[in-house]
């Protein structure tokens, strides 16, 4: 798959504008336009001579300037595709020349028209936004209006009415009131991709802009992306509340939104920092500017309470155990329903952060394992984001988004299970599957299954995750039971010249597990991290016992022959994921290929004199998705890297001999030509699609499947021996009964596949001379008939 990246509203606007400017410059040049004062810069910046107006240069200065010009010329020769900056006056000249040319070849292409339309629409939204907030300077607004006028003149004079689907009026959709909020996510999906397919010799062009005015556009882009992503988080959690999505998937999607907001903030700050460098507190200035300009009442209220909290927490956290109160919005607002709702939000956010600070302080003070049992075991991404509030006392746009997410989820979740309940359910599921037992020296093992040295460590960790943390004696963090309160650092400030009563302040929530329930991302992260560890232990166990490997060959034989029509979907997913380990590459469809691939992967030579079985010749590997998700949650893998990994794993299931699905040529072409630049909403939609495709892989219970395959092979051997008595040789001379069972199972499957080979080689033709079908041939084999009967009973639940 071609690598994709998430493009912010601002970056897409820049792409749109650059696409149009590049096209108009190339077209105008073909019509005879010549720049009067060309400007070239690799980064789009002006290259004016700093020594201009200083008079004649001295010898040393003249030599130095000559060297500089020489280097500049060499650079331009080495980089002929440097970005050319076009002024607005040059653009107007280009528009006039192209409009008067009357050449059919100079008509504006549809993708250029769409890009220019999007750029104008977004500028108009930006102007409308800041006119409402009254946060931009008159000069900035005047600059925006002038720039919009230039682009509108271009689209008006260059618009080809014969291609217009709006009745010849290109301005019908340019009124601010008619522009949908989701404009950037409903544009033609391939226009950015098509822009990348220009001639390699073309020089890319961009329009000269005022950096101060550009900051307004950047701020609006951040607000808009954050608002759209907030709506997506709410949509995702509505699915969770209705039972249409589990907490783990929702956690990934919501934290992806948080990461996209963080990246948008970083991009906006980098642009702001390039203009506002006069202060040592540039980042604080930037956050303050964003907080002041934001007109969204929800985000504004969240930013306000976080700022008040940061002010109260200035100076650090003391070690004293005095209680700390946080001021509410004020008693005068109690009769206003909207203000009451904001007050509830303030209280909730304050209590979440207070519990986080208590946990943070407790973990820093922990000196032994017993103490750490009363703290959270790790920090999730939302916790880490909000931690900056009391460690730096800066309120960032990303922090505001994180706090707003928690509040929105709190309001939505009414039917969904709480975080602690989800964690307990996952722990019980894995405890039942592993069936732990304690041996001498408190070592942990699993009943009926042997383990390797590597697996013993993993199993011990899983046992600790799934049992100790849910013990009655060491349950979830018991903040209130410890009587550990947030410390006092300064006297409470006085509002309106009056001291406040204790009842007018927010204190910590009295519920023991409040933080665990209020922050579902901890539980989601826990489930994904535990699932990744369980998969690692399960795959190692499957490699040790090889029962999944053997049953996969048996199931494939019976399914491809048509003797077993009942689907074993879990095993099919395992086969698709590990086809290289199980079959040596692709899934075999013919008996000849089945025999060869089983012999090859089991390590069976075709020389009868050297008949040595090596069932450990094959090894399944961890699937990349679970590890990628774990690394993304720990911020060691970026969102684009995660998307690429999930896309690769999802592609494994696109073609399956069991489901009969194939990719058409049209689908292959669409996959090849999908857009490389995605809006944040498009990115989230793509991620959601990938998660739905690969989450069944993550939820595969390799331990339970190993147990089931061992039981199935044992029954097949037992019933086959009653029909065709077989005495298996001792291949390895091992006294380990588990090893002997493994070898006997390998020989049993080997005999089944060899029986299929013999039946096919000796099968007579039908009376009309045609060959018999695979099912008609194999049904005559006693071993195969017996294995088929046992497998159908197992899949039908009759052996339970």
């Amino acid at each position: 798959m071609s690598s994709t990246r998430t493009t912010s509203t601002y970056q897409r606007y820049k792409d749109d504008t650059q696409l149009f400017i590049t096209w108009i410059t190339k077209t105008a040049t073909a019509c005879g336009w010549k720049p009067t004062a060309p400007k070239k810069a690799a980064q789009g910046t002006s290259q004016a001579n700093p020594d201009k107006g200083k008079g004649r240069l001295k010898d040393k200065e003249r030599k130095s300037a000559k060297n500089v010009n020489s280097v500049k010329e060499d650079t331009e020769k080495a980089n002929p595709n440097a970005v050319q900056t076009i002024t607005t006056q040059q653009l107007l000249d280009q528009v006039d020349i192209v409009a008067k040319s009357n050449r059919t070849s100079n008509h504006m292409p549809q993708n250029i028209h769409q890009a220019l339309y999007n750029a104008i629409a977004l500028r108009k939204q930006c102007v409308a936004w800041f006119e409402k907030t009254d946060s931009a300077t008159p000069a900035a607004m005047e600059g925006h209006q002038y720039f919009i006028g230039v682009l509108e003149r271009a689209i008006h004079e260059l618009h080809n009415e014969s291609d217009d689907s709006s009745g010849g009026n290109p301005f019908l959709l340019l009124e601010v009131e008619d522009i949908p909020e989701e404009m950037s996510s409903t544009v033609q999906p391939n226009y950015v991709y098509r822009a990348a397919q220009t001639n390699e010799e073309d020089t890319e062009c961009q329009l000269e802009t005022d950096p101060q005015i550009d900051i307004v556009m950047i701020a609006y882009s951040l607000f808009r992306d954050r608002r759209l992503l907030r709506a997506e988080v709410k949509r995702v959690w509505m699915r969770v509340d209705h039972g249409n999505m589990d907490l783990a998937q929702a956690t990934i999607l919501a934290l992806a939104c948080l990461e996209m907001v963080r990246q948008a903030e970083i991009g906006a700050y980098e642009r702001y920092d390039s203009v506002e460098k006069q202060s040592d507190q540039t980042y604080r200035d930037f956050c303050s500017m964003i907080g002041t300009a934001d007109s969204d009442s929800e985000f504004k209220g969240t930013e306000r309470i976080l700022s008040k909290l940061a002010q109260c927490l200035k100076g650090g956290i003391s070690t004293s155990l005095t209680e700390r109160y946080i001021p509410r919005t004020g008693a005068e607002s109690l009769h206003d329903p909207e203000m009451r709702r904001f007050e509830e939000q303030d209280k909730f956010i304050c209590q979440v952060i207070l519990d986080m600070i208590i946990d943070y302080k407790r973990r820093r003070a922990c000196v032994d394992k017993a103490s750490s049992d009363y703290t959270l075991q790790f920090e999730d991404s939302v916790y880490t984001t909000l931690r900056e509030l009391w460690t730096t006392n800066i309120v960032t746009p990303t922090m505001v988004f994180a706090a707003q997410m928690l509040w929105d989820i709190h309001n939505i979740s009414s039917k969904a299970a709480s975080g602690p309940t989800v964690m307990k359910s996952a722990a019980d599921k894995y405890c039942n599957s592993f069936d732990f037992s304690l041996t001498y020296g408190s070592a942990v093992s699993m009943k009926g299954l042997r383990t390797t040295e590597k697996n013993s460590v993993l199993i011990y960790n899983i046992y600790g995750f799934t049992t100790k943390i849910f013990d009655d004696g060491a349950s979830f963090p018991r903040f209130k039971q410890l009587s550990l309160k947030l410390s006092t650092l300064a006297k409470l400030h006085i509002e309106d010249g009056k001291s406040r009563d204790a009842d007018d302040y927010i204190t910590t929530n009295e519920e023991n597990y409040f933080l665990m329930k209020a922050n579902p991302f901890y539980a989601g992260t826990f489930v994904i991290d535990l699932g990744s560890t369980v998969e690692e232990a399960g795959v190692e166990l499957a490699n040790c016992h090889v029962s999944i490997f053997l049953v996969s060959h048996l199931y494939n034989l019976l399914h491809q022959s048509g003797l077993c029509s009942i689907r074993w979907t879990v095993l099919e997913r395992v086969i698709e994921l590990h086809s290289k380990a199980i079959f040596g590459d692709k899934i075999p469809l013919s008996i000849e290929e089945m025999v060869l691939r089983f012999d090859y992967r089991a390590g069976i030579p075709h020389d009868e004199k050297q008949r040595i079985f090596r069932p450990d010749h094959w090894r399944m590997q961890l699937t990349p998705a679970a590890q990628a998700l774990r690394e993304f949650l720990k911020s060691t893998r970026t969102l684009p890297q995660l998307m690429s990994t999930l896309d690769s794993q999802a592609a494994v299931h696109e073609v399956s001999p069991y489901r009969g699905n194939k990719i058409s040529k049209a689908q292959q072409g669409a996959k090849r030509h999908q857009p490389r630049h995605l809006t944040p909403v498009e990115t989230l939609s793509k991620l959601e699609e990938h998660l739905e495709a690969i989450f069944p892989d993550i939820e595969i219970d390799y331990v339970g499947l190993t147990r089931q395959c061992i039981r199935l092979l044992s029954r097949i051997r037992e019933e086959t021996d009653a029909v065709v008595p077989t005495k298996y040789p001792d291949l390895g001379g091992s006294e380990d009964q588990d090893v002997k069972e493994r070898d006997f199972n390998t020989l049993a499957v080997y005999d089944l596949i060899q029986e299929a080979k013999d039946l096919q080689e000796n099968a007579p033709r039908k009376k009309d001379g045609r060959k018999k079908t695979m099912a008609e041939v194999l049904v005559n084999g006693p071993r195969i008939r017996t294995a088929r009967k046992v497998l159908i009973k197992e899949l039908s639940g009759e052996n339970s």
Side-chain angles (χ1 to χ4, degrees):
M1 173 187 174
S2 303
S3 60
T4 60
R5 68 180 176 90
T6 301
T7 304
S8 66
T9 294
Y10 174 74
Q11 187 56 52
R12 176 156 289 203
Y13 159 77
K14 296 291 286 185
D15 291 341
D16 288 338
T17 308
Q18 183 167 312
L19 177 60
F20 166 69
I21 297 299
T22 299
W23 173 81
I24 189 66
T25 301
K26 179 183 176 182
T27 307
T29 302
C31 295
W33 175 81
K34 293 182 180 179
T36 54
K39 297 180 181 181
K40 284 193 175 184
Q43 300 298 327
T45 56
S46 176
Q47 294 288 337
N49 187 353
D51 294 317
K52 185 177 180 180
K54 290 186 178 181
R56 183 177 176 82
L57 298 176
K58 295 182 180 180
D59 291 341
K60 184 180 290 188
E61 293 172 335
R62 187 164 58 250
K63 185 177 180 180
S64 175
K66 185 177 180 181
N67 291 336
V68 170
N69 291 332
S70 176
V71 171
K72 178 183 175 183
E73 291 175 3
D74 292 341
T75 302
E76 291 180 353
K77 289 179 181 179
N79 185 19
N81 293 333
V83 177
Q84 180 179 349
T85 302
I86 303 297
T87 65
T88 51
Q89 185 56 53
Q90 288 175 328
L91 173 60
L92 292 173
D93 294 341
Q94 292 173 348
V95 170
D96 290 339
I97 290 176
V98 174
K100 293 175 182 177
S101 67
N102 291 325
R103 296 181 185 176
T104 305
S105 60
N106 291 340
H107 288 169
M108 188 186 299
Q110 184 58 37
N111 67 315
I112 305 295
H113 179 274
Q114 181 70 40
L116 181 56
Y117 165 74
N118 291 337
I120 296 172
L122 197 60
R123 277 280 181 181
K124 282 179 168 282
Q125 290 182 42
C126 178
V127 170
W129 176 276
F130 279 96
E131 282 180 342
K132 290 178 182 178
T133 63
D134 197 27
S135 56
T137 63
M141 289 295 98
E142 184 180 347
H144 274 291
Q145 296 289 6
Y146 173 74
F147 187 74
I148 290 171
V150 171
L151 296 182
E152 284 184 333
R153 177 176 167 183
I155 201 171
H156 175 64
E157 295 191 14
L158 300 176
H159 181 71
N160 182 16
E161 293 188 6
S162 62
D163 295 335
D164 184 25
S165 60
S166 60
N169 184 358
F171 299 103
L172 283 180
L173 298 179
L174 292 184
E175 294 298 328
V176 173
E177 292 78 9
D178 296 332
I179 297 172
E181 284 297 328
E182 295 76 12
M183 166 65 70
S184 65
S185 60
T186 58
V187 296
Q188 291 184 357
N190 287 333
Y191 78 90
V192 175
Y193 179 78
R194 291 169 61 187
Q197 297 175 338
T198 54
N199 194 309
E200 291 183 0
E201 297 180 357
D202 290 346
T203 299
E204 290 188 345
C205 303
Q206 65 181 13
L207 197 61
E208 185 179 50
T209 57
D210 184 342
Q212 291 283 0
I213 296 177
D214 224 23
I215 286 178
V216 176
M217 189 68 188
I218 292 168
Y220 171 71
S221 170
L222 180 59
F223 298 150
R224 191 173 192 280
D225 289 341
R226 192 173 61 171
R227 189 168 65 254
L228 291 173
L229 287 172
R230 179 196 175 198
E232 288 299 303
V233 172
K234 293 169 76 172
R235 177 188 64 80
V236 166
W237 235 263
M238 286 293 290
R239 290 191 62 189
V240 175
D241 199 51
H242 293 156
N244 298 324
M245 181 181 291
D246 62 39
L247 180 62
Q249 292 185 53
T251 295
I252 294 293
L253 292 170
L255 294 184
C257 290
L258 181 66
E259 179 60 23
M260 285 188 278
V261 170
R262 192 190 316 279
Q263 292 305 318
E265 178 192 328
I266 291 172
Y269 172 66
E270 287 175 350
R271 183 64 178 168
Y272 178 86
D273 186 52
S274 68
V275 177
E276 302 287 341
K277 279 191 175 294
Q278 72 277 9
S279 171
D280 294 334
Q281 302 282 328
T282 306
Y283 185 59
R284 288 180 181 271
D285 295 341
F286 166 76
C287 294
S288 176
M289 185 270 289
I290 293 295
T292 302
D294 195 350
S295 70
D296 191 304
S297 59
E298 295 283 353
F299 283 122
K300 194 82 170 177
T302 305
E303 193 274 338
R304 180 192 53 75
I305 191 61
L306 290 180
S307 297
K308 186 174 286 188
L309 268 169
Q311 187 68 27
C312 290
L313 297 171
K314 258 185 180 176
I317 304 172
S318 167
T319 55
S320 61
L321 302 182
T322 342
E323 183 153 1
R324 176 66 164 160
Y325 296 106
I326 303 298
R328 291 184 183 179
T329 53
E332 67 279 358
S333 63
L334 292 179
H335 300 294
D336 185 341
E338 184 176 4
M339 292 307 297
R340 264 205 311 253
R341 182 169 59 85
F342 281 137
E343 190 170 72
E344 291 175 4
Q345 178 180 348
D346 290 349
K347 180 178 181 180
F348 173 82
I349 292 174
C350 284
Q351 290 181 335
V352 168
I353 292 176
L354 289 178
D355 271 9
M356 284 182 175
I357 295 175
I358 292 171
D359 173 72
Y360 176 78
K361 178 179 177 180
R362 179 70 183 177
R363 276 192 291 119
R364 289 179 58 139
C366 284
V367 294
D368 53 29
K369 180 65 174 65
S371 300
S372 66
D373 284 341
Y374 298 101
T375 65
L376 299 178
Q377 302 302 306
F378 56 86
E379 292 184 6
D380 60 85
S381 296
V382 171
Y383 188 127
T384 302
T385 300
L386 293 175
R387 173 162 45 84
E388 296 179 18
L389 182 72
W390 64 86
T391 56
T392 67
N393 300 121
I394 299 177
V395 179
T396 69
T398 306
M399 189 186 300
V400 172
F401 184 83
Q404 191 67 51
M405 272 202 314
L406 294 180
W407 171 244
D408 288 339
I409 292 170
H410 173 73
N411 284 328
I412 291 171
S413 298
S414 58
K415 305 173 186 175
S418 66
T421 302
V422 171
M423 293 171 68
K424 185 69 166 61
S425 176
D428 289 344
K429 169 188 170 183
Y430 294 128
C431 281
N432 293 334
S433 176
F434 277 75
D435 198 5
F436 296 112
S437 64
L438 290 174
T439 59
Y440 298 106
S442 298
V444 181
S445 63
M446 294 182 294
K447 294 178 182 177
L449 295 175
R450 72 179 186 281
T451 60
T452 63
E453 183 177 348
K454 175 185 176 181
N455 225 18
S456 297
V457 177
L458 293 171
I459 291 169
Y460 182 81
N461 292 337
I462 294 168
Y463 176 78
F465 263 126
T466 57
T467 57
K468 293 182 181 178
I469 195 170
F470 296 103
D471 240 3
D472 290 337
S475 188
F476 294 116
R478 298 184 293 177
F479 301 118
K480 314 309 175 296
Q481 294 174 14
L482 292 169
S483 301
L484 186 63
K485 303 297 183 181
L486 184 62
S487 60
T488 292
L489 295 170
K491 293 183 181 294
L492 294 172
H493 66 278
I494 299 175
E495 295 182 1
D496 302 326
K498 297 180 181 179
S499 299
R500 307 295 300 269
D501 295 331
D503 291 340
D504 291 331
Y505 293 87
I506 299 171
T507 184
T508 53
N509 191 285
E510 296 180 357
E511 188 177 357
N512 288 339
Y513 312 137
F514 171 71
L515 181 57
M516 304 291 295
K517 294 179 179 179
N519 178 19
F521 302 109
Y522 181 85
T525 303
F526 170 88
V527 170
I528 292 171
D529 191 59
L530 177 59
S532 177
T533 307
V534 166
E535 183 193 43
E536 186 176 359
V539 169
E540 179 69 19
L541 190 75
N543 287 331
C544 178
H545 286 268
V546 306
S547 60
I548 293 178
F549 164 74
L550 297 172
V551 172
S552 295
H553 280 268
L554 175 61
Y555 175 78
N556 186 64
L557 172 66
L558 296 175
H559 183 85
Q560 302 298 349
S561 66
L563 292 176
C564 179
S565 59
I566 302 178
R567 298 278 303 281
W568 195 348
T569 54
V570 174
L571 187 64
E572 287 175 7
R573 293 195 79 91
V574 170
I575 291 173
E576 291 166 4
L577 287 169
H578 304 284
S579 61
K580 288 186 178 180
I582 296 174
F583 295 112
D585 192 9
K586 61 181 181 180
I587 301 170
L589 304 180
S590 66
I591 293 178
E592 293 86 357
E593 199 174 2
M594 292 177 193
V595 173
L596 290 173
R597 291 191 178 278
F598 179 81
D599 290 356
Y600 170 68
R601 294 313 290 158
I604 301 173
H606 278 220
D607 186 348
E608 291 294 328
K609 296 180 180 179
Q610 299 179 2
R611 189 172 172 181
I612 302 173
F613 291 82
R614 291 189 294 123
D616 57 343
H617 184 69
W618 72 288
R619 289 192 70 80
M620 292 193 297
Q621 304 297 322
L622 290 176
T623 54
Q627 187 63 26
L629 291 173
R630 175 195 273 181
E631 292 174 358
F632 173 70
L633 295 178
K634 294 181 178 178
S635 301
T636 57
R637 185 181 293 248
T638 65
L639 183 58
Q641 290 172 336
L642 174 66
M643 294 281 286
S644 177
T645 302
L646 298 185
D647 182 77
S648 298
Q649 183 157 326
V652 171
H653 302 296
E654 289 180 349
V655 179
S656 171
Y658 302 113
R659 293 187 297 275
N661 53 331
K662 297 180 179 179
I663 300 180
S664 65
K665 291 184 178 180
Q667 289 173 319
Q668 290 176 350
K671 194 173 181 66
R672 257 194 322 270
H673 296 292
Q674 61 184 314
R676 291 174 180 167
H677 298 181
L678 303 176
T679 65
V681 174
E682 289 168 345
T683 299
L684 197 70
S685 176
K686 195 71 177 174
L687 178 59
E688 189 171 352
E689 178 185 323
H690 288 335
L691 290 177
E692 289 178 354
I694 62 93
F695 243 78
D697 299 342
I698 298 174
E699 295 171 343
I700 292 174
D701 181 5
Y702 287 91
V703 176
L705 187 60
T706 296
R707 292 184 185 276
Q708 184 180 9
C709 289
I710 290 174
R711 183 177 65 249
L712 180 65
L713 289 170
S714 177
R715 285 175 177 165
I716 289 175
R717 279 176 49 208
E718 181 182 346
E719 296 197 22
T720 301
D721 191 53
V723 177
V724 185
T726 306
K727 184 172 177 61
Y728 296 112
D730 189 347
L731 300 175
S734 173
E735 295 300 324
D736 190 332
Q737 187 60 34
D738 289 334
V739 174
K740 288 185 177 182
E741 285 294 313
R742 180 196 66 185
D743 292 341
F744 292 161
N745 289 337
T746 304
L747 285 169
V749 176
Y750 172 80
D751 287 342
L752 276 163
I753 294 177
Q754 285 298 315
E755 183 179 72
K757 177 185 176 184
D758 295 339
L759 287 169
Q760 186 183 53
E761 290 176 350
N762 300 316
R765 289 180 175 269
K766 293 183 178 180
K767 291 181 179 180
D768 57 5
R770 290 184 294 116
K771 287 185 177 181
K772 291 184 178 182
T773 64
M774 195 185 299
E776 290 171 336
V777 172
L778 299 187
V779 76
N780 295 315
R783 288 186 175 89
I784 294 176
R785 280 201 310 269
T786 304
R788 173 180 179 247
K789 181 183 69 173
V790 175
L791 179 63
I792 290 176
K793 282 185 177 181
E794 180 71 25
L795 298 182
S796 303
E798 296 180 25
N799 289 334
S800 301

